[in-house]
Amino acid sequence: MKHDCIMIGFNDEKMDTIIKRVEPYKDKSAAYEHMLARSAVVNGKRMKYSEIVRESITNSTGMQSDLTIYRMPNMAVHYCMHYLKKHGMSVGYVNYFNDGREKLKYLIENYSPNCIGVSSTCHVEPAPIREIVDYIHSIDPSIVIVVGGPFINSINFEYSTPQQNYLLQSIGADIFIHERQGEDTLYQICTELRKDKPDLSKIPNIIYKDGHYKRTVKVPENICLDDDPIKEFTFYENHPKPPVYMRCSISCSLCCSFCRYPILGGEPMFMKIESIEKNMNYIHSLGVKSIVFVDDSLNVPLDRFKDMLRMMIRNKYNFKWYSFFRISHSDEETYELMAKSGCGGVILGVESGNDTIRKNMDKRVSTEQLVWGIGQLNKYGIVSHASCMVGFPGETEKTARDTIKFIEEAKPTFYDLQVWFFENAVPISKERDYYNLEGYGYSWSHKDMDYETAGKIVLDGIRNIKNSYFMPSLSFNLWSLAYFLTQGTQISEFMELSKIFKDVVGYKDHEIDDRYKENVNRMLNVFRGNQELAKNLKMRNK
Ligand code: SF4
């Protein structure tokens, strides 16, 4: 049998690889310091939080841990697979590239696919996608590789055509999809590749190489979200059911001035509550206990959100669920409904603890509202992860200290603090002149601050904040926590890990001393004595 397409999920790079890539630019950008501020040296290797979790579980239980968030059914892979199969295509998949190389080789050699679809979801650089492309080419250099997803959309949004071409060339695929959904474009590619002489020029929303890169016409797919539920989820054998991702809307109706999502996402689209119910009924019937909503603003509009929560309560699913959450769109009843419907945790886009800076960001929520909202979450035992940044235009050392003070006083359960990343095509870049804004990415300056000062404040904040736990969203966020909680770990173990992590984060190799090694040793024993976790690993370590 021949496959029309094989879909491939995420390629998780090790911190060692990332840091080697950014080190040559350490005097020109905050990227290197940024990576240092979310990693630690463990047994001679620089590791990110997720790698430390793996190392710690392995060391604590005496069994090799294979637990990773990428064992959740990859959303892009499953959406595309669902759509293609529904339209009569034969599809194979590899949910997670890192542990699926052998399977991928087998599928290529035995199903001679017409193309391979690679999702760029969660990737922010070409290198890890290039690694997938090179691996495929090492098996069959003639295979057509299609890459789509948010990173490709960002490249097309953010850069000039020559820069885009350079980045696409670095990825090395044959066809790129730039559409906020993309499933139908992939279907059209698969249909065309069935022909003896495929003609890609008629397929909308793609960039393909024909001597040089050619761009076809943009036609929004607008695939209705009230489609049949996805029926086929990848669950690994002998592995407790992980959470399942759900998407109940597309795009965001807010307009933060540092954010490209509403521009890339276009007009918001919503799934009807009846369709959400249909999806949840199916997910529940599979024995899934947790859901991660990927919607940018699940609680906007608020009435719809409350209707969804009431539906979940009425159905007595008892899911633990996790999502992004906008405190600006909440009232007392919201938190009560969230708790009753099983909310386990939310990611909060706090961004700054200073009202003026948040106004510059067009965040439309006051410090007072944020403190109140986090208080409500704490009252109902809902875990919060507050995402904060330092260095946005207008930021001074004083306003940055307000953010650190805010975290200390509002006490979200976890927080992330990072240097602002400047993107060219977001609304704030129109105010370059006003703020004397120069540079790009992690290499910027404006009239009140530059990336180096921001980097120092971030590291200082991480090392000194005491009332909230640092969880760097680079490799481990609330979704990861949701996954690990289904695998037998406890929140208290992650709190303990984070507490020690902040004391080892950001150090360079020559700064490592006995106290540092002692802290690393403590980190590597955080999960010791956890019987539930050991039982889980034992199922696959026989
Ligand atoms: S709420 Fe989030 S997704 Fe929406 S515009 Fe603001 S930062 Fe972007």
Side-chain angles (χ1 to χ4, degrees):
M1 187 187 176
K2 188 174 173 64
H3 276 327
D4 289 286
C5 181
I6 295 171
M7 286 301 305
I8 304 182
F10 193 67
N11 177 18
D12 189 20
E13 280 192 306
K14 288 192 165 39
M15 180 50 93
D16 243 6
T17 310
I18 301 171
I19 210 104
K20 276 185 196 132
R21 193 163 57 237
V22 295
E23 196 169 1
Y25 310 101
K26 67 179 173 190
D27 297 328
K28 296 185 191 133
S29 131
Y32 177 71
E33 295 295 330
H34 173 73
M35 291 304 168
L36 284 187
R38 32 220 62 231
S39 63
V41 179
V42 176
N43 299 335
K45 282 193 195 130
R46 187 160 288 282
M47 293 187 185
K48 52 189 176 181
Y49 194 98
S50 58
E51 289 173 277
I52 294 171
V53 169
R54 179 181 282 229
E55 201 71 8
S56 179
I57 292 178
T58 299
N59 186 64
S60 300
T61 61
M63 285 174 279
Q64 182 59 48
S65 171
D66 57 358
L67 301 177
T68 160
I69 184 177
Y70 304 112
R71 286 188 157 236
M72 281 169 65
N74 180 296
M75 207 177 92
V77 166
H78 287 78
Y79 270 82
C80 288
M81 196 161 72
H82 174 73
Y83 193 87
L84 293 179
K85 283 192 173 181
K86 195 177 152 190
H87 289 83
M89 294 288 159
S90 164
V91 193
Y93 70 91
V94 169
N95 192 58
Y96 170 40
F97 174 71
N98 301 61
D99 71 6
R101 286 169 178 253
E102 281 308 308
K103 180 179 175 187
L104 179 56
K105 187 166 185 288
Y106 174 84
L107 289 174
I108 293 173
E109 287 173 350
N110 290 278
Y111 291 87
S112 321
N114 283 342
C115 71
I116 297 198
V118 182
S119 159
S120 69
T121 304
C122 295
H123 286 297
V124 291
E125 290 189 81
I129 310 177
R130 179 63 189 233
E131 192 187 341
I132 300 177
V133 169
D134 287 345
Y135 181 73
I136 296 165
H137 281 157
S138 74
I139 302 165
D140 181 351
S142 68
I143 215 153
V144 175
I145 302 176
V146 186
V147 181
F151 182 52
I152 303 303
N153 292 338
S154 299
I155 289 177
N156 283 290
F157 164 72
E158 183 73 12
Y159 299 103
S160 65
T161 305
Q163 287 171 322
Q164 285 178 27
N165 291 350
Y166 172 77
L167 288 165
L168 300 179
Q169 186 72 41
S170 316
I171 292 172
D174 303 287
I175 306 173
F176 298 91
I177 297 176
H178 57 120
E179 214 299 307
R180 66 175 178 170
Q181 290 179 296
E183 295 97 304
D184 193 62
T185 305
L186 182 59
Y187 165 69
Q188 293 190 51
I189 293 168
C190 290
T191 306
E192 200 57 35
L193 292 179
R194 280 184 172 184
K195 297 177 184 165
D196 288 340
K197 289 191 180 161
D199 176 10
L200 298 173
S201 66
K202 301 278 182 309
I203 301 173
N205 309 320
I206 64 168
I207 302 171
Y208 67 103
K209 215 165 179 190
D210 185 7
H212 59 278
Y213 285 115
K214 292 190 172 166
R215 288 158 170 79
T216 61
V217 61
K218 287 276 292 165
V219 181
E221 290 184 358
N222 291 335
I223 300 168
C224 175
L225 301 187
D226 299 301
D227 198 358
D228 300 335
I230 291 180
K231 287 277 179 193
E232 210 180 306
F233 287 105
T234 309
F235 294 123
Y236 290 77
E237 244 178 89
N238 295 326
H239 183 278
K241 288 245 162 58
V244 160
Y245 290 114
M246 260 193 88
R247 182 188 63 182
C248 307
S249 60
I250 291 184
S251 196
C252 177
S253 39
L254 307 184
C255 47
C256 308
S257 64
F258 57 85
C259 180
R260 62 183 132 90
Y261 290 127
I263 308 166
L264 287 179
E267 254 326 281
M269 285 171 72
F270 298 97
M271 188 187 263
K272 289 187 191 132
I273 301 295
E274 304 86 74
S275 305
I276 299 176
E277 186 170 13
K278 212 159 112 185
N279 275 271
M280 286 189 179
N281 285 342
Y282 181 69
I283 292 170
H284 188 253
S285 75
L286 299 174
V288 170
K289 301 269 188 288
S290 287
I291 291 181
V292 169
F293 293 102
V294 298
D295 308 58
D296 289 324
S297 301
L298 186 68
N299 61 312
V300 183
L302 184 58
D303 286 348
R304 172 182 178 270
F305 179 59
K306 286 185 180 176
D307 284 347
M308 185 189 91
L309 300 184
R310 289 190 191 103
M311 177 276 286
M312 291 173 76
I313 296 166
R314 194 174 62 244
N315 278 294
K316 298 192 175 80
Y317 295 126
N318 289 326
F319 289 129
K320 271 277 171 228
W321 63 267
Y322 304 82
S323 75
F324 292 104
F325 183 68
R326 310 294 160 208
I327 287 176
S328 52
H329 292 66
S330 69
D331 55 18
E332 270 188 66
E333 188 193 26
T334 314
Y335 298 91
E336 207 184 314
L337 289 171
M338 286 165 74
K340 277 192 186 151
S341 60
C343 182
V346 288
I347 296 182
L348 307 170
V350 168
E351 317 306 352
S352 168
N354 178 281
D355 279 326
T356 306
I357 301 304
R358 241 180 293 101
K359 196 158 171 249
N360 293 354
M361 295 172 174
D362 213 353
K363 279 302 288 182
R364 302 183 194 185
V365 60
S366 68
T367 302
E368 201 182 328
Q369 278 175 294
L370 288 170
V371 171
W372 175 80
I374 293 172
Q376 290 290 306
L377 293 168
N378 288 344
K379 175 176 146 191
Y380 284 103
I382 297 171
V383 170
S384 53
H385 183 267
S387 179
C388 303
M389 62 168 103
V390 171
F392 194 75
E395 186 95 281
T396 61
E397 294 209 21
K398 152 87 183 59
T399 63
R401 298 283 163 213
D402 286 347
T403 301
I404 291 166
K405 189 163 165 268
F406 173 87
I407 298 169
E408 286 286 39
E409 292 178 359
K411 302 188 180 84
T413 324
F414 296 98
Y415 75 95
D416 187 13
L417 186 65
Q418 51 188 316
V419 174
W420 171 57
F421 185 89
F422 174 30
E423 293 177 85
N424 272 322
V426 295
I428 192 67
S429 70
K430 293 198 186 104
E431 295 178 55
R432 273 174 184 273
D433 291 346
Y434 180 76
Y435 289 109
N436 284 345
L437 192 48
E438 285 178 10
Y440 173 71
Y442 284 122
S443 176
W444 51 260
S445 67
H446 54 70
K447 63 186 165 75
D448 299 298
M449 193 175 275
D450 61 19
Y451 72 85
E452 281 176 294
T453 310
K456 284 186 190 124
I457 295 172
V458 164
L459 192 53
D460 187 53
I462 292 169
R463 286 181 177 164
N464 288 299
I465 289 171
K466 293 188 176 55
N467 294 331
S468 180
Y469 298 98
F470 176 55
M471 188 178 272
S473 42
L474 169 75
S475 68
F476 197 100
N477 62 14
L478 193 70
W479 304 170
S480 315
L481 185 67
Y483 165 79
F484 276 93
L485 294 179
T486 61
Q487 303 302 309
T489 61
Q490 304 291 322
I491 289 185
S492 56
E493 291 165 330
F494 288 96
M495 289 173 166
E496 180 62 18
L497 188 77
S498 285
K499 199 164 130 192
I500 312 168
F501 185 60
K502 83 177 178 59
D503 290 331
V504 291
V505 91
Y507 285 86
K508 298 186 177 128
D509 293 4
H510 67 272
E511 294 171 316
I512 294 170
D513 56 14
D514 287 347
R515 191 190 60 86
Y516 188 99
K517 287 181 190 156
E518 174 52 28
N519 279 328
V520 167
N521 187 42
R522 284 172 55 219
M523 272 200 310
L524 295 183
N525 285 286
V526 159
F527 298 94
R528 194 164 286 275
N530 184 329
Q531 300 299 326
E532 191 68 22
L533 186 60
K535 204 168 107 196
N536 178 358
L537 292 185
K538 215 176 267 174
M539 288 197 285
R540 298 180 301 284
N541 273 281
K542 285 173 190 154

